[in-house]
Amino acid sequence: MKYLHWFAPPSALTEASKSGLAASNSKLREISRMAVTNRDMANAVRALSMDAVEAAKSGHVGLPLGMADAATVLFRKFLKFDPKDPNWADRDRFVLSAGHGSMLIYSLLHLTGYASVSRDDIRNFRQLGANTPGHPENFVTLGVETTTGPLGQGIATAVGMAIAERHLNARFGNDLVDHRTWVIAGDGCLMEGVSQEAITLAGHMKLNKLIVLFDDNAVTIDGSTDLSDSTDQCARFEASGWISRRVDGHDEKDVEAALKWATKQKKPVFLAVKTIIGFGAPKLAGTGKAHGGPYGAEEIDGIRKSLDWPHAPFEVPEAIEKAWAKAGERSQAEHAAWKKRLTASPHKGEFNAAIAGRLPKNLGKAVIKHKKAVAEGGASKATRVWSGEALEVITGLVPEMVGGSADLSGSNNTKTSHTAPMTPKSWDGRYIHYGVREHAMAAAMNGMALHGGIIPYSGTFLVFADYSRAAIRLGALMGTQVVHVMTHDSIGLGEDGPTHQPVEHVASLRAMPNMIVFRPADGVETAECWELALHRNEGPSTMALTRQNVAPARKTHTDENLSAKGGYVLSPAGKGKERGVLIATGSEVEIALKAQALLAEEGIAVRVVSMPSMELFGLQDAAYRAQTLGKDLPKVAIEAGVRFGWDRWIGAEGGFVGMDSFGASAPYQKLYQHFGITAEAAVAAIKERL
């Protein structure tokens, strides 16, 4: 077996690879009369990919041309999948982390028989309405496991999928859960910082069912990788707890031997698959220009000749079509056997409920009981503490919940008595110590949610949402049910100062489509928000929680989840004509109630509206919103953050008591006084508008 040094130029391939390319330059042969080879099948992937990119006049064909041989071996002989049932729970997961090469996965899905990608979809690559968008999107194309494109996200998401597989295997056994996660990643994926977080986490957790195929083509858009990087990737991965091997990506036997070897390892596996980007392109192969963009008619014609592919655009010989269809049927017997095991399993009901994300029927009653105890207790606690107490109740009832924290468990209050640590020796644990890896943590949670069977949540400080924002955004785009617990949500964290005080972060997360941000005022609202997050299976939720104690806002129990409407009248105006409205969230609800009392002493009646979720309030009908906010009444919002987003509810002329700068380092009580976030300031703002 010959292995290439990682920085070898694209031309430095084994003799087998060179002879394979030479063979494809022989005179035309009648494929239909001969045994179809791996190269023939790979060339079908190449042809569809280059034809699609050429038709669209945009896209990235370099990766599909280069990785087609290795990907063909993977799909033909190793990947466990069934195109007739793309959601088979025990299928292998395939992640194209280098999502710009999307035509690779679209060609593979189409050729193996997925109904989600038709030949017309490939003809209409990157066009509106086709199931073949520019980058793979799981919510568009059945068979795509995760949305990729932002480099590094795929490999980090795959770590979460591999964690989910190991955890569910420990819970349900090999009969129901025993599959692998395969990744194709490029140089860019491995340069992105999130990849380092992800691979060290995977290595530490010994995720032996995770196998990464690195498209080692030594080329980036700007040119050779030597321009920007000199990392020995095999050494890097091995230092992170992986096992690695170098592979000639154009030698079918070398690839097959490496994949077979990879399936037997007890660590996550990294395969440096040496390829030529733009394989077969006469002028562009092995260059930065091969990365993306249409190659042009002359170069495409040259590829056809180089690959000995005399067929018209989007045409695949029948024999090759049949060979690919057979590859798509390879796991059907295994799938049928799995179904029989599931039917006979005593865990069938529990397994199906977990995969479907069904919540226990007694969850609602448990939350009501908890709320009642909190309201009657009348204690002043931080909402991060109230969150921990709600989780203590909820995690005891929902075994699918897997928590964690980025080295802030005690501060985030995300660990409960029901969530023992998850480790390579205890995969049945339900708590992951992510270490200081906020970005990989968020991406891994996306992977767990996409895998199914797990409802992931984790904690960090709200200000560090900036570190994980790319993964949070992808989760919102994909609609993953993930809960981001973000504590220390304002200047209320105090002495740590402006580096840790997230004045703009709540607003920025509210601006993200399909994200629900909860900023509860007390223990009752916190429990209600957790209940809402668990029932929200169409996207992520963020819990913005205080470090400092807050006085109880809801002192009278009600079974109804008042937070479900996003905003509600917490305290109606007192005696006399109502003159205004105070709207607040989180820790500032306490300030609004004090301001209401001060105004009442002066004979000015105002109502207080608590708005734990702007997004949910915005979903209510216009009549409810108008009734809650009061028609033609002056409005003042109070929140220890920036004003952005509030004008929708208070109007351009409305008052805002909050931040218009970064914070400072001091005890939080002094900071609220210093920045004028006080009941007296709210009173003044109302009076100015009477």
Side-chain angles (χ1 to χ4, degrees), residues 65 116 133 142 163 165-166 198 260 295 334 343 346 358 424 493 495 529 531 559 563 589 629 650 675 683:
L65 290 174
S116 56
L142 201 59
I163 290 172
E165 190 276 340
R166 290 290 79 199
K260 186 178 295 183
Y295 284 6
E334 194 168 358
T343 299
R358 291 197 293 270
L493 75 84
E495 292 86 344
C529 291
E531 182 180 28
D559 283 359
S563 299
V589 170
L629 298 181
I650 63 177
F675 289 106
V683 167

Side-chain angles (χ1 to χ4, degrees), residues 418-534:
H418 308 288
T419 55
M422 185 189 299
T423 71
K425 294 181 179 180
S426 303
W427 283 113
D428 56 343
R430 294 168 53 200
Y431 194 83
I432 301 172
H433 290 281
Y434 286 100
V436 188
R437 299 184 180 97
E438 295 90 354
H439 198 172
M441 176 175 72
M445 287 200 297
N446 285 341
M448 291 180 223
L450 290 167
H451 179 281
I454 290 178
I455 302 174
Y457 71 94
S458 72
T460 187
F461 290 173
L462 178 57
V463 74
F464 300 136
D466 281 347
Y467 281 155
S468 52
R469 188 176 181 87
I472 294 173
R473 181 180 185 271
L474 270 190
L477 179 65
M478 295 187 288
T480 58
Q481 185 179 17
V482 170
V483 185
H484 301 278
V485 178
M486 301 286 187
T487 69
H488 298 58
D489 68 349
S490 72
I491 60 169
L493 75 84
E495 292 86 344
D496 277 342
T499 61
H500 283 51
Q501 292 166 1
V503 296
E504 78 278 24
H505 293 68
V506 168
S508 72
L509 287 169
R510 285 174 178 156
M512 186 179 290
N514 200 34
M515 169 61 74
I516 299 295
V517 178
F518 294 104
R519 192 163 186 257
D522 66 359
V524 174
E525 281 195 359
T526 301
E528 290 182 339
C529 291
W530 264 112
E531 182 180 28
L532 295 169
L534 287 177

Side-chain angles (χ1 to χ4, degrees), residues 272-410:
V273 182
K274 177 58 67 178
T275 63
I276 298 175
I277 190 171
F279 181 88
K283 298 177 181 178
L284 298 180
T287 71
K289 291 182 179 179
H291 172 81
Y295 284 6
E298 182 180 348
E299 193 75 354
I300 294 298
D301 185 58
I303 296 174
R304 278 189 152 76
K305 292 177 181 177
S306 175
L307 300 181
D308 195 7
W309 190 266
H311 313 291
F314 303 106
E315 182 179 303
V316 178
E318 182 181 358
I320 296 178
E321 295 254 27
K322 288 182 178 179
W324 269 116
K326 185 177 180 181
E329 297 167 355
R330 184 177 54 83
S331 300
Q332 287 183 352
E334 194 168 358
H335 186 185
W338 178 86
K339 285 182 177 179
K340 290 182 179 179
R341 294 196 301 271
L342 177 62
T343 299
S345 173
H347 303 297
K348 177 183 177 180
E350 185 183 357
F351 178 83
N352 286 337
I355 296 300
R358 291 197 293 270
L359 296 171
K361 295 179 180 179
N362 58 343
L363 178 62
K365 290 182 179 179
V367 172
I368 288 172
K369 182 180 178 180
H370 173 68
K371 282 170 47 179
K372 189 173 188 294
V374 172
E376 292 176 351
S380 295
K381 298 180 183 180
T383 53
R384 62 172 176 152
V385 175
W386 285 124
S387 174
E389 294 191 12
L391 281 171
E392 182 64 31
V393 173
I394 295 169
T395 56
L397 295 173
V398 186
E400 288 73 36
M401 292 182 72
V402 172
S405 172
D407 200 43
L408 291 167
S409 298

